[in-house]
Amino acid sequence: MKIKRLLKLNIGKTRRYLAGVLVGIQLMSMLGAVTGCGAAAEVIPDLIEPKASAQAYRPAAMRMIGPVQYMEGEVIAREYPCFSEKSAYISEMLVAVGDYVEEGDVIARSRDSMSTEGIQELNNQIASLCRQREKTKKISDETVKKLDYEKKIEKYLKNDEGVKAKDKEIQIEKENQRFNVAMLDSQINSCRSDLYEMQNESMARTFTAPHSGYVTYVANMTRTNVVEGFQNIAVISDYDDLYIESKEVHIDTYKFEDYKSKWAFINGKNVDIVETPYTNEEVAYASSISMNPFISFEVPGEKLALGTNVILCFSKEKREKVLAVGNDSIFGEKDEKVVYVKTADGKNEERKVELGRTDGSYTEVLSGISEGEEIFYSNTCIVPEKQVEVEVELATYTEICVSKMVTLAYPHYDIYSSDVNGKFVKMIDMGMASSGDALFSVNSSVENADIESVRLDMVNLDNDRQQSAKDYEKNRAEISKAIKKAKKNKKKYKATDTDAVHENMYLKERLECDLNILDIEEKYSKEDYVAQKNAKQVTYNTLRKGTINMGDRSDYVQYAQNDGRISATVVNSEDDIFRDGFAVTVERIGDDGGHTKLFAVVSPSADASTPPASARLTEKVTLKKEKRKWTGKCIGQNGAADRYMLFTRNGKPCVTYSAPYPGGVEFQFYTEMDSKVSSLDLEKAELEFNGKEMRNVVMVPSHGVCSEVNAITLEESNYVWKMENGVPVKEYVSIYSSGAATKMTYVIDGLEPGDIILK
């Protein structure tokens, strides 16, 4: 796929001035070979006044001196990963790239049938124990009530020993009640503790947004629903919290901690930068697992623009201007150095100078000359014959890339896994699926004997319940009959007829206690039966699913819930699949509200002249097809295997990463268009975006930048012809190399807005 890479310059009005013709075409060297144009110090010449191909003078000026190291950075948004500390099987992905979420919103859920069943089993057990507790207390209360009637009989008979005996029985019954209830409470609390622990583990499989912001990455779920420990499930970006990241070095290979000056050219000025602070514990942890993040920087007090690129500068010296001359102005041997100053009568005056630090092109002068004096320099390069003056201005440097591989994005996932162990039966292949389509079936491997065992358990439960109901009705009828008889035959008892009193006094009330106890036992027996039968039925249905042969499939079929696309089917027919095992994902577009989401893939250009790049978050993109255009913005980017996120959460350091989308292509990204775009619109369309963008930087015409090679060191230097007092002077500059031919060049150092150069 061919990627077109262009340059776009948003530059202010460029003023051009026509100057007189000076000399012929520019030469690289007068030595007849590729040599430096004055970078090496020379012996003091025999002539009193040095000579060159042209008398060339450069004013002694205040400059930034000292070697500067450069790194490239990009302004990015603070990221907040949503991840699992352990491997997890994602069953639901509730967000898509581009969504806005609030802190605490559910991002995804992980399915674990064993855990779900364990929680249900504990809930059933707790419910059963609570019923038993209630039953135990109520029966005990009725028993105490009955014993109290028997105590009243003993009092009526004035039987002190009998009263004492009944008091003891009541005391024992109450103590037994307290003991039995306490034992049940202990079991209930133990089960609740287990349930709490299991629910916490289950909640750990419900993943929520750690911060409010936009979802800029979601793990790809088309080939698997597994995320490894500390692999990002999703990443939320806060567009209001920006910093600079350099992908050139990780924190363990960064060498500029002790440099005195660190800055970047932002918003048309040099501003100080500081490394993102990590705690010692965080750094040690990242180092121990060899997962070190890229170096990043904060810019205190400065407003950053998301997605822009910046050049980061590092110097061992304090960033300040000092008096300096070009190295091509310095002559002499060892410790005795001189320069030649142009006098009022146009002659050269030799001056001894004391020198300081150097950066290879210019050297600090501590004494011997003053600012503004015209200093001779050894010029072996020829000033351009045709001179057009250009005023240096700030402009925006951009590299525009074009992707021809653009498709409709399907950012929402419907993830399907198997409910049973068995053999997989594929019922639909890659391509589009409609709601209600059969996706797959599974022929369960459960043994019939296991199913039959559970069925027999349910039959026995039914038989026991029926027998218990019959016994209850029989016993209740007998007690009810006795109550009616006791009520009808109620009479006064003779004090001397002890047996009659024991048998008949409070008979109705005591029988009612027996009836209440019988009703309580029946009530809870029925409730236990219903609970046990439901649990057995669930087990039976689970075991039975997928065991009935329906010809080319089993009775267990999974149907598509929504319209969507199947981009990969990783399980083949007759392959083994396990319960909760990933089967297939249906990707769907979802409700886009009239804003179509696209997915773009960027590959190297056919001639490999320029490297590919990705669109930057929130950057404007343009879809072009013939004379039609659609605009939009980038809303999500591909993950990178070597890009780590280091932070502290819940009091401990963490390192996470975003796995790249499958396919082996590094640069892939999501866009959201401002209007509807159809699949027909995408045919032969191109998506144009900025691969790089550096705002408010010094830009000059590229053919105004010259280069030379030092004959001794073989190092290449760049320079421009800068107008000083109406005369072209060679000015060394540091430039940004784009790796491709460009019409305009970004000058990192050496020129300032308002300078006049020749192009």
Side-chain angles (χ1 to χ4, degrees), residues 2-197:
K2 184 174 182 180
I3 305 296
K4 292 190 286 186
R5 192 179 182 91
L6 310 171
L7 282 173
K8 181 179 179 181
L9 298 163
N10 303 316
I11 205 162
K13 181 180 179 182
T14 303
R15 291 177 287 176
R16 304 183 180 186
Y17 300 90
L18 185 62
V21 175
L22 295 182
V23 289
I25 62 173
Q26 177 181 347
L27 301 176
M28 290 299 296
S29 171
M30 294 182 62
L31 302 177
V34 181
T35 62
C37 294
E42 301 177 12
V43 178
I44 298 177
D46 293 332
L47 297 176
I48 295 176
E49 297 182 6
K51 302 294 181 182
S53 59
Q55 292 283 46
Y57 297 89
R58 183 188 295 118
M62 302 298 290
R63 301 176 182 274
M64 295 283 298
I65 294 297
V68 177
Q69 303 290 332
Y70 299 105
M71 285 200 307
E72 198 166 336
E74 180 182 337
V75 177
I76 65 174
R78 192 80 58 190
E79 296 166 308
Y80 296 87
C82 176
F83 65 99
S84 172
E85 293 187 10
K86 301 177 181 178
S87 294
Y89 295 84
I90 303 301
S91 58
E92 291 181 272
M93 186 70 76
L94 304 179
V95 299
V97 171
D99 289 351
Y100 182 84
V101 296
E102 296 285 352
E103 181 178 349
D105 286 352
V106 177
I107 298 296
R109 293 189 178 94
S110 175
R111 178 180 181 182
D112 185 344
S113 295
M114 297 298 292
S115 176
T116 302
E117 290 175 3
I119 290 173
Q120 185 58 51
E121 185 177 340
L122 280 172
N123 277 321
N124 292 342
Q125 190 173 347
I126 291 170
S128 177
L129 288 169
C130 288
R131 287 193 299 271
Q132 189 176 343
R133 182 187 189 279
E134 189 176 2
K135 170 186 168 184
T136 298
K137 191 174 184 308
K138 287 184 176 182
I139 289 177
S140 180
D141 288 344
E142 289 294 329
T143 301
V144 169
K145 186 177 179 182
K146 183 178 179 181
L147 287 172
D148 195 53
Y149 283 121
E150 293 176 357
K151 177 183 174 182
K152 289 180 180 180
I153 294 173
E154 299 300 337
K155 282 185 177 181
Y156 175 79
L157 295 174
K158 298 180 181 180
N159 182 4
D160 293 339
E161 293 298 323
V163 171
K164 290 180 181 179
K166 291 302 174 183
D167 278 337
K168 186 174 182 179
E169 285 187 58
I170 292 172
Q171 184 180 357
I172 291 173
E173 179 61 34
K174 288 183 177 180
E175 186 62 33
N176 286 340
Q177 181 190 120
R178 284 192 292 271
F179 177 79
N180 291 332
V181 169
M183 289 294 292
L184 288 167
D185 283 342
S186 177
Q187 293 179 55
I188 291 170
N189 289 335
S190 177
C191 288
R192 282 177 175 164
S193 177
D194 292 342
L195 178 63
Y196 178 77
E197 183 177 346

Side-chain angles (χ1 to χ4, degrees), residues 220-236:
N220 187 280
M221 296 278 110
T222 60
R223 289 170 169 79
T224 180
N225 66 336
V226 177
V227 290
E228 301 298 336
F230 295 96
Q231 176 186 339
N232 293 330
I233 299 170
V235 173
I236 294 93

Side-chain angles (χ1 to χ4, degrees), residues 740-759:
T742 61
K743 293 183 179 180
M744 299 291 287
T745 296
Y746 167 25
V747 177
I748 301 173
D749 187 37
L751 292 176
E752 295 181 356
D755 289 342
I756 304 297
I757 67 167
L758 300 181
K759 77 165 190 174

Side-chain angles (χ1 to χ4, degrees), residues 225-287:
N225 66 336
V226 177
V227 290
E228 301 298 336
F230 295 96
Q231 176 186 339
N232 293 330
I233 299 170
V235 173
I236 294 93
S237 296
D238 184 349
Y239 290 160
D240 295 324
D241 187 2
L242 308 180
Y243 66 103
I244 300 172
E245 180 182 81
S246 175
K247 293 184 174 63
E248 292 191 21
V249 294
H250 295 85
I251 61 173
D252 60 326
T253 55
Y254 176 66
K255 305 299 182 184
F256 304 142
E257 291 94 341
D258 300 329
Y259 276 46
K260 291 182 179 179
S261 299
K262 304 168 189 178
W263 72 95
F265 196 71
I266 299 173
N267 297 330
K269 60 185 177 181
N270 287 320
V271 295
D272 291 333
I273 60 175
V274 293
E275 292 89 351
T276 297
Y278 291 112
T279 66
N280 292 335
E281 187 178 11
E282 288 171 339
V283 173
Y285 176 70
S287 177

